[in-house]
Amino acid sequence: MKTNSFTFKLNEEQQRELKRLLGSSKYLKQSVPHTQMAVSIPDCRINLYNSGKLLVQGKAAQEWITFTLETEILKEAVMGYEDFHDPEAFQPHMGIDESGKGDFFGPLVIASAYVDEGLVEKLREMGVRDSKKISSDNVALNMARDIRKLLGDRCAMVTIGPRAYNRMYAKIRNVNKMLAWGHARAIENLLEKVPDCPRALSDKFGPTHQIERALFDKGKKIKLDQRTKAESDPAVAAASILARAGFIHALKQMGKAQGFEIPKGASDKVRREAEKLVANKGPGILLDTAKCHFQTTDKVLAEVGYSRKDLPSPN
């Protein structure tokens, strides 16, 4: 089934550019309440609301978004069209995605989200897309709130905090196997709520059998799929936003506990903050705040006069 309704949230600059573009004579002006501008072209209606929400509807909506909105206003591709040609995207299934894997500070968060045809349509209307294409944390948090409200019990989240993460890595010593364990738990947890879900889809990060081996009895009955760029699938996109929001929330809570704003990623800024933290609280604090197998750990410890042997056991 092909969807013909799309929603985007535009910043102020994008709104200005769009209004300039829609002022062209090729667009027929319409009168729609609560809009800054409403226009139409054959088979496509375009409404820019006072809130900054853009609603594009009609048979020609995808074409206008691809060749006009993305190229002239958004400056990026946001649609992920391969799923529109994949009927499985609209059939009942769950998507799984993670956040925090490449961040030195904070947990690893894995989320799962269930969709069917009706839910896919609603997610599309909300503008749900891969969280990596959402630049604002606040937008991701607000969208995650709306997704949770829509899905209710049809989503689940697994959070592996730094202490547990470091303990697991000390035993497993393989991030992909840890990811497989987290994906399996997210699948199992969602199957408790949606036991008839026939299929689970995730981005490809390692052999599928790694997840299969980590599943319990319930999960062994589900069909597992992995593919590159799976975030174009609506269920995986929803899971990616839920996971990112869970990660952002965890960083905020950690920041309150440690008394400073915890930066994301593994940049020089992250290293400087980690160095200050270790200088103030000793090397053991990294076990409760960071993923200690990162090479960043060695650089941070060396800068403040320690080495890895000064880290306590995570057990």
Side-chain angles (χ1 to χ4, degrees), residues 16-65:
R16 285 194 298 271
E17 286 296 308
L18 181 64
K19 284 188 286 187
R20 181 191 58 75
L21 186 148
L22 298 181
S24 162
S25 59
K26 68 179 279 190
Y27 295 97
L28 181 64
K29 288 183 172 55
Q30 306 288 325
S31 179
V32 177
H34 312 298
T35 61
Q36 302 179 49
M37 184 171 273
V39 301
S40 66
I41 52 176
D43 294 322
C44 184
R45 299 179 304 282
I46 305 157
N47 296 340
L48 176 61
Y49 287 89
N50 295 330
S51 64
K53 184 179 84 169
L54 174 66
L55 178 64
V56 187
Q57 294 177 305
K59 291 181 181 178
Q62 287 186 29
E63 182 180 349
W64 184 82
I65 291 166

Short mmCIF file of all heavy atoms in Angstrom, two decimals, residues 16-65:
data_model
loop_
_atom_site.label_atom_id
_atom_site.label_comp_id
_atom_site.label_asym_id
_atom_site.label_seq_id
_atom_site.Cartn_x
_atom_site.Cartn_y
_atom_site.Cartn_z
N ARG A 16 10.79 29.99 6.06
CA ARG A 16 10.96 31.18 5.21
C ARG A 16 11.26 30.78 3.77
O ARG A 16 10.68 31.32 2.82
CB ARG A 16 12.08 32.08 5.75
CG ARG A 16 11.70 32.87 6.99
CD ARG A 16 12.72 33.97 7.26
NE ARG A 16 14.05 33.44 7.53
CZ ARG A 16 14.49 33.10 8.74
NH1 ARG A 16 13.70 33.25 9.80
NH2 ARG A 16 15.71 32.63 8.89
N GLU A 17 12.16 29.82 3.60
CA GLU A 17 12.52 29.37 2.26
C GLU A 17 11.33 28.72 1.56
O GLU A 17 11.11 28.93 0.35
CB GLU A 17 13.69 28.38 2.33
CG GLU A 17 15.04 29.02 2.63
CD GLU A 17 15.46 29.96 1.51
OE1 GLU A 17 15.46 29.55 0.34
OE2 GLU A 17 15.75 31.13 1.81
N LEU A 18 10.56 27.95 2.32
CA LEU A 18 9.41 27.29 1.72
C LEU A 18 8.36 28.31 1.28
O LEU A 18 7.79 28.19 0.18
CB LEU A 18 8.80 26.29 2.70
CG LEU A 18 7.59 25.52 2.15
CD1 LEU A 18 8.00 24.64 0.97
CD2 LEU A 18 6.96 24.66 3.24
N LYS A 19 8.10 29.31 2.11
CA LYS A 19 7.11 30.33 1.73
C LYS A 19 7.54 31.08 0.48
O LYS A 19 6.72 31.41 -0.38
CB LYS A 19 6.88 31.29 2.90
CG LYS A 19 6.02 30.68 4.01
CD LYS A 19 5.63 31.69 5.07
CE LYS A 19 6.78 32.04 5.97
NZ LYS A 19 6.34 32.90 7.10
N ARG A 20 8.83 31.34 0.36
CA ARG A 20 9.34 32.00 -0.84
C ARG A 20 9.10 31.10 -2.06
O ARG A 20 8.64 31.56 -3.10
CB ARG A 20 10.84 32.29 -0.68
CG ARG A 20 11.48 32.99 -1.88
CD ARG A 20 12.99 33.02 -1.76
NE ARG A 20 13.57 31.69 -1.65
CZ ARG A 20 13.69 30.84 -2.66
NH1 ARG A 20 13.25 31.17 -3.87
NH2 ARG A 20 14.23 29.65 -2.47
N LEU A 21 9.39 29.82 -1.91
CA LEU A 21 9.23 28.88 -3.01
C LEU A 21 7.75 28.74 -3.40
O LEU A 21 7.40 28.73 -4.59
CB LEU A 21 9.80 27.52 -2.60
CG LEU A 21 9.85 26.41 -3.65
CD1 LEU A 21 11.06 25.52 -3.41
CD2 LEU A 21 8.59 25.56 -3.64
N LEU A 22 6.87 28.65 -2.39
CA LEU A 22 5.44 28.44 -2.67
C LEU A 22 4.76 29.70 -3.21
O LEU A 22 3.61 29.64 -3.64
CB LEU A 22 4.72 27.96 -1.41
CG LEU A 22 5.18 26.61 -0.83
CD1 LEU A 22 4.36 26.25 0.40
CD2 LEU A 22 5.10 25.51 -1.88
N GLY A 23 5.47 30.83 -3.18
CA GLY A 23 4.92 32.06 -3.74
C GLY A 23 4.94 32.09 -5.26
O GLY A 23 4.37 32.98 -5.89
N SER A 24 5.58 31.09 -5.85
CA SER A 24 5.65 31.01 -7.31
C SER A 24 4.25 30.85 -7.91
O SER A 24 3.35 30.27 -7.30
CB SER A 24 6.54 29.83 -7.71
OG SER A 24 6.32 29.46 -9.05
N SER A 25 4.10 31.31 -9.13
CA SER A 25 2.80 31.27 -9.79
C SER A 25 2.33 29.85 -10.11
O SER A 25 1.14 29.63 -10.40
CB SER A 25 2.85 32.10 -11.09
OG SER A 25 3.85 31.58 -11.95
N LYS A 26 3.24 28.88 -10.05
CA LYS A 26 2.82 27.50 -10.34
C LYS A 26 1.97 26.91 -9.23
O LYS A 26 1.29 25.90 -9.42
CB LYS A 26 4.05 26.61 -10.59
CG LYS A 26 4.91 26.36 -9.37
CD LYS A 26 6.09 25.45 -9.67
CE LYS A 26 5.67 24.00 -9.68
NZ LYS A 26 6.83 23.08 -9.74
N TYR A 27 2.00 27.54 -8.02
CA TYR A 27 1.23 27.04 -6.89
C TYR A 27 -0.07 27.85 -6.75
O TYR A 27 -0.04 29.09 -6.73
CB TYR A 27 2.04 27.14 -5.60
CG TYR A 27 3.26 26.25 -5.60
CD1 TYR A 27 4.52 26.75 -5.93
CD2 TYR A 27 3.17 24.89 -5.28
CE1 TYR A 27 5.64 25.94 -5.95
CE2 TYR A 27 4.28 24.07 -5.29
CZ TYR A 27 5.52 24.59 -5.62
OH TYR A 27 6.63 23.78 -5.63
N LEU A 28 -1.19 27.14 -6.63
CA LEU A 28 -2.49 27.78 -6.48
C LEU A 28 -2.79 27.96 -4.99
O LEU A 28 -2.82 27.00 -4.23
CB LEU A 28 -3.57 26.90 -7.12
CG LEU A 28 -5.01 27.44 -7.08
CD1 LEU A 28 -5.13 28.74 -7.87
CD2 LEU A 28 -5.98 26.38 -7.60
N LYS A 29 -2.98 29.21 -4.56
CA LYS A 29 -3.21 29.50 -3.14
C LYS A 29 -4.57 28.96 -2.69
O LYS A 29 -5.56 29.03 -3.42
CB LYS A 29 -3.12 31.01 -2.89
CG LYS A 29 -1.69 31.54 -2.99
CD LYS A 29 -1.64 33.02 -2.66
CE LYS A 29 -0.19 33.51 -2.56
NZ LYS A 29 0.59 33.22 -3.75
N GLN A 30 -4.57 28.41 -1.46
CA GLN A 30 -5.79 27.88 -0.85
C GLN A 30 -6.03 28.59 0.49
O GLN A 30 -5.11 29.20 1.05
CB GLN A 30 -5.64 26.37 -0.60
CG GLN A 30 -5.24 25.55 -1.81
CD GLN A 30 -6.37 25.42 -2.80
OE1 GLN A 30 -7.53 25.33 -2.43
NE2 GLN A 30 -6.03 25.44 -4.10
N SER A 31 -7.24 28.47 1.00
CA SER A 31 -7.57 29.03 2.31
C SER A 31 -7.77 27.87 3.29
O SER A 31 -8.75 27.13 3.19
CB SER A 31 -8.84 29.88 2.23
OG SER A 31 -9.17 30.40 3.51
N VAL A 32 -6.81 27.72 4.21
CA VAL A 32 -6.87 26.64 5.21
C VAL A 32 -6.61 27.25 6.58
O VAL A 32 -5.62 27.96 6.76
CB VAL A 32 -5.82 25.54 4.92
CG1 VAL A 32 -5.85 24.46 5.99
CG2 VAL A 32 -6.06 24.93 3.54
N PRO A 33 -7.50 27.03 7.56
CA PRO A 33 -7.32 27.62 8.90
C PRO A 33 -5.97 27.24 9.52
O PRO A 33 -5.46 26.13 9.31
CB PRO A 33 -8.48 27.03 9.71
CG PRO A 33 -9.50 26.62 8.69
CD PRO A 33 -8.73 26.23 7.48
N HIS A 34 -5.42 28.17 10.29
CA HIS A 34 -4.21 27.95 11.11
C HIS A 34 -2.95 27.70 10.26
O HIS A 34 -1.98 27.11 10.74
CB HIS A 34 -4.39 26.78 12.09
CG HIS A 34 -5.67 26.84 12.88
ND1 HIS A 34 -5.93 27.88 13.75
CD2 HIS A 34 -6.73 26.02 12.91
CE1 HIS A 34 -7.13 27.68 14.30
NE2 HIS A 34 -7.63 26.57 13.80
N THR A 35 -2.96 28.12 9.00
CA THR A 35 -1.76 27.95 8.17
C THR A 35 -1.10 29.30 7.89
O THR A 35 -1.76 30.32 7.81
CB THR A 35 -2.10 27.29 6.82
OG1 THR A 35 -3.03 28.12 6.11
CG2 THR A 35 -2.68 25.91 7.00
N GLN A 36 0.24 29.24 7.75
CA GLN A 36 0.97 30.40 7.24
C GLN A 36 0.77 30.51 5.73
O GLN A 36 0.71 31.60 5.18
CB GLN A 36 2.46 30.27 7.52
CG GLN A 36 2.84 30.11 8.99
CD GLN A 36 4.33 29.97 9.14
OE1 GLN A 36 5.10 30.75 8.58
NE2 GLN A 36 4.76 28.97 9.91
N MET A 37 0.70 29.34 5.10
CA MET A 37 0.52 29.29 3.65
C MET A 37 -0.05 27.93 3.28
O MET A 37 0.34 26.90 3.85
CB MET A 37 1.86 29.53 2.93
CG MET A 37 1.73 29.58 1.42
SD MET A 37 3.28 30.12 0.63
CE MET A 37 3.08 31.89 0.67
N ALA A 38 -1.03 27.93 2.37
CA ALA A 38 -1.62 26.69 1.88
C ALA A 38 -1.75 26.81 0.37
O ALA A 38 -2.29 27.80 -0.13
CB ALA A 38 -2.98 26.45 2.52
N VAL A 39 -1.22 25.83 -0.35
CA VAL A 39 -1.25 25.87 -1.81
C VAL A 39 -1.54 24.48 -2.35
O VAL A 39 -1.52 23.48 -1.61
CB VAL A 39 0.10 26.37 -2.39
CG1 VAL A 39 0.44 27.76 -1.88
CG2 VAL A 39 1.22 25.38 -2.08
N SER A 40 -1.76 24.42 -3.65
CA SER A 40 -1.94 23.12 -4.30
C SER A 40 -1.33 23.16 -5.69
O SER A 40 -1.19 24.23 -6.31
CB SER A 40 -3.42 22.75 -4.38
OG SER A 40 -4.10 23.63 -5.24
N ILE A 41 -0.93 21.99 -6.14
CA ILE A 41 -0.56 21.74 -7.53
C ILE A 41 -1.33 20.48 -7.92
O ILE A 41 -1.93 19.83 -7.05
CB ILE A 41 0.96 21.56 -7.71
CG1 ILE A 41 1.51 20.50 -6.74
CG2 ILE A 41 1.70 22.87 -7.53
CD1 ILE A 41 2.98 20.20 -6.92
N PRO A 42 -1.38 20.09 -9.15
CA PRO A 42 -2.14 18.89 -9.51
C PRO A 42 -1.77 17.67 -8.66
O PRO A 42 -0.60 17.32 -8.53
CB PRO A 42 -1.77 18.68 -10.99
CG PRO A 42 -1.51 20.06 -11.49
CD PRO A 42 -0.84 20.77 -10.36
N ASP A 43 -2.78 17.08 -8.03
CA ASP A 43 -2.64 15.87 -7.21
C ASP A 43 -1.76 16.05 -5.97
O ASP A 43 -1.21 15.07 -5.44
CB ASP A 43 -2.09 14.70 -8.04
CG ASP A 43 -3.06 14.26 -9.11
OD1 ASP A 43 -4.27 14.25 -8.86
OD2 ASP A 43 -2.58 13.95 -10.22
N CYS A 44 -1.60 17.28 -5.50
CA CYS A 44 -0.77 17.51 -4.30
C CYS A 44 -1.22 18.77 -3.58
O CYS A 44 -1.33 19.84 -4.18
CB CYS A 44 0.70 17.63 -4.69
SG CYS A 44 1.83 17.78 -3.28
N ARG A 45 -1.48 18.64 -2.26
CA ARG A 45 -1.84 19.77 -1.42
C ARG A 45 -0.72 19.99 -0.40
O ARG A 45 -0.25 19.02 0.23
CB ARG A 45 -3.16 19.51 -0.69
CG ARG A 45 -4.33 19.30 -1.65
CD ARG A 45 -5.63 19.02 -0.91
NE ARG A 45 -5.54 17.88 0.00
CZ ARG A 45 -5.58 16.62 -0.38
NH1 ARG A 45 -5.67 16.32 -1.68
NH2 ARG A 45 -5.50 15.65 0.50
N ILE A 46 -0.32 21.24 -0.21
CA ILE A 46 0.82 21.58 0.64
C ILE A 46 0.37 22.64 1.64
O ILE A 46 0.04 23.76 1.27
CB ILE A 46 2.00 22.10 -0.20
CG1 ILE A 46 2.37 21.10 -1.29
CG2 ILE A 46 3.20 22.43 0.69
CD1 ILE A 46 3.10 21.68 -2.48
N ASN A 47 0.34 22.27 2.93
CA ASN A 47 -0.09 23.19 3.98
C ASN A 47 1.05 23.41 4.98
O ASN A 47 1.53 22.45 5.59
CB ASN A 47 -1.29 22.62 4.75
CG ASN A 47 -2.52 22.45 3.88
OD1 ASN A 47 -2.62 23.08 2.83
ND2 ASN A 47 -3.45 21.62 4.32
N LEU A 48 1.48 24.66 5.14
CA LEU A 48 2.46 25.02 6.16
C LEU A 48 1.71 25.68 7.31
O LEU A 48 1.19 26.79 7.17
CB LEU A 48 3.51 25.97 5.59
CG LEU A 48 4.55 26.48 6.59
CD1 LEU A 48 5.35 25.32 7.19
CD2 LEU A 48 5.48 27.50 5.95
N TYR A 49 1.66 25.00 8.45
CA TYR A 49 0.88 25.48 9.59
C TYR A 49 1.67 26.48 10.43
O TYR A 49 2.91 26.56 10.34
CB TYR A 49 0.41 24.30 10.44
CG TYR A 49 -0.69 23.51 9.77
CD1 TYR A 49 -0.39 22.46 8.91
CD2 TYR A 49 -2.03 23.84 9.97
CE1 TYR A 49 -1.39 21.75 8.28
CE2 TYR A 49 -3.04 23.13 9.34
CZ TYR A 49 -2.72 22.09 8.49
OH TYR A 49 -3.71 21.40 7.85
N ASN A 50 0.94 27.25 11.26
CA ASN A 50 1.58 28.25 12.12
C ASN A 50 2.60 27.63 13.06
O ASN A 50 3.56 28.28 13.48
CB ASN A 50 0.51 29.00 12.94
CG ASN A 50 -0.42 29.81 12.04
OD1 ASN A 50 -0.02 30.27 10.98
ND2 ASN A 50 -1.67 29.98 12.46
N SER A 51 2.41 26.37 13.41
CA SER A 51 3.31 25.66 14.33
C SER A 51 4.64 25.30 13.68
O SER A 51 5.57 24.89 14.37
CB SER A 51 2.65 24.38 14.82
OG SER A 51 2.43 23.49 13.73
N GLY A 52 4.73 25.45 12.34
CA GLY A 52 5.92 25.01 11.63
C GLY A 52 5.78 23.62 11.04
O GLY A 52 6.68 23.12 10.36
N LYS A 53 4.62 22.99 11.29
CA LYS A 53 4.37 21.67 10.71
C LYS A 53 4.00 21.82 9.24
O LYS A 53 3.21 22.68 8.88
CB LYS A 53 3.24 20.96 11.46
CG LYS A 53 2.99 19.52 10.97
CD LYS A 53 1.88 18.84 11.74
CE LYS A 53 0.52 19.21 11.15
NZ LYS A 53 -0.56 18.37 11.68
N LEU A 54 4.58 20.96 8.41
CA LEU A 54 4.28 20.94 6.99
C LEU A 54 3.55 19.64 6.67
O LEU A 54 4.04 18.55 6.97
CB LEU A 54 5.56 21.02 6.16
CG LEU A 54 5.40 20.85 4.64
CD1 LEU A 54 4.61 22.03 4.06
CD2 LEU A 54 6.75 20.73 3.97
N LEU A 55 2.37 19.75 6.07
CA LEU A 55 1.59 18.58 5.68
C LEU A 55 1.51 18.55 4.15
O LEU A 55 1.10 19.52 3.52
CB LEU A 55 0.18 18.67 6.28
CG LEU A 55 -0.79 17.54 5.92
CD1 LEU A 55 -0.30 16.21 6.46
CD2 LEU A 55 -2.19 17.85 6.46
N VAL A 56 1.95 17.43 3.58
CA VAL A 56 1.93 17.25 2.13
C VAL A 56 1.07 16.02 1.84
O VAL A 56 1.35 14.93 2.34
CB VAL A 56 3.35 17.05 1.56
CG1 VAL A 56 3.32 17.03 0.04
CG2 VAL A 56 4.29 18.14 2.06
N GLN A 57 0.03 16.21 1.00
CA GLN A 57 -0.91 15.13 0.74
C GLN A 57 -1.24 15.03 -0.74
O GLN A 57 -1.22 16.04 -1.45
CB GLN A 57 -2.22 15.35 1.52
CG GLN A 57 -2.06 15.27 3.04
CD GLN A 57 -3.37 15.56 3.74
OE1 GLN A 57 -3.98 16.60 3.52
NE2 GLN A 57 -3.79 14.65 4.61
N GLY A 58 -1.58 13.82 -1.18
CA GLY A 58 -2.03 13.63 -2.55
C GLY A 58 -1.20 12.61 -3.31
O GLY A 58 -0.14 12.18 -2.85
N LYS A 59 -1.67 12.21 -4.47
CA LYS A 59 -0.99 11.19 -5.27
C LYS A 59 0.41 11.64 -5.69
O LYS A 59 1.31 10.81 -5.89
CB LYS A 59 -1.82 10.87 -6.52
CG LYS A 59 -3.12 10.14 -6.22
CD LYS A 59 -3.88 9.85 -7.51
CE LYS A 59 -5.20 9.15 -7.22
NZ LYS A 59 -5.96 8.91 -8.47
N ALA A 60 0.60 12.94 -5.86
CA ALA A 60 1.91 13.45 -6.31
C ALA A 60 2.77 13.91 -5.14
O ALA A 60 3.82 14.54 -5.35
CB ALA A 60 1.71 14.60 -7.29
N ALA A 61 2.37 13.58 -3.90
CA ALA A 61 3.10 14.07 -2.72
C ALA A 61 4.55 13.57 -2.70
O ALA A 61 5.49 14.34 -2.47
CB ALA A 61 2.38 13.65 -1.44
N GLN A 62 4.73 12.27 -2.93
CA GLN A 62 6.10 11.71 -2.88
C GLN A 62 6.99 12.38 -3.92
O GLN A 62 8.16 12.69 -3.63
CB GLN A 62 6.06 10.20 -3.11
CG GLN A 62 5.52 9.41 -1.93
CD GLN A 62 5.66 7.92 -2.17
OE1 GLN A 62 6.57 7.48 -2.86
NE2 GLN A 62 4.76 7.14 -1.60
N GLU A 63 6.45 12.58 -5.12
CA GLU A 63 7.24 13.19 -6.18
C GLU A 63 7.65 14.61 -5.80
O GLU A 63 8.81 15.01 -5.99
CB GLU A 63 6.42 13.21 -7.47
CG GLU A 63 7.16 13.79 -8.66
CD GLU A 63 6.32 13.80 -9.92
OE1 GLU A 63 5.24 13.16 -9.91
OE2 GLU A 63 6.72 14.44 -10.89
N TRP A 64 6.71 15.39 -5.23
CA TRP A 64 7.04 16.77 -4.84
C TRP A 64 8.07 16.79 -3.72
O TRP A 64 9.00 17.60 -3.73
CB TRP A 64 5.76 17.51 -4.41
CG TRP A 64 6.03 18.96 -4.10
CD1 TRP A 64 6.12 19.99 -4.98
CD2 TRP A 64 6.27 19.52 -2.80
NE1 TRP A 64 6.41 21.17 -4.32
CE2 TRP A 64 6.50 20.91 -2.97
CE3 TRP A 64 6.31 18.99 -1.51
CZ2 TRP A 64 6.77 21.77 -1.91
CZ3 TRP A 64 6.58 19.84 -0.44
CH2 TRP A 64 6.80 21.21 -0.65
N ILE A 65 7.93 15.88 -2.77
CA ILE A 65 8.89 15.83 -1.66
C ILE A 65 10.28 15.47 -2.18
O ILE A 65 11.28 16.09 -1.81
CB ILE A 65 8.42 14.80 -0.60
CG1 ILE A 65 7.17 15.31 0.12
CG2 ILE A 65 9.54 14.53 0.43
CD1 ILE A 65 6.45 14.25 0.92
#
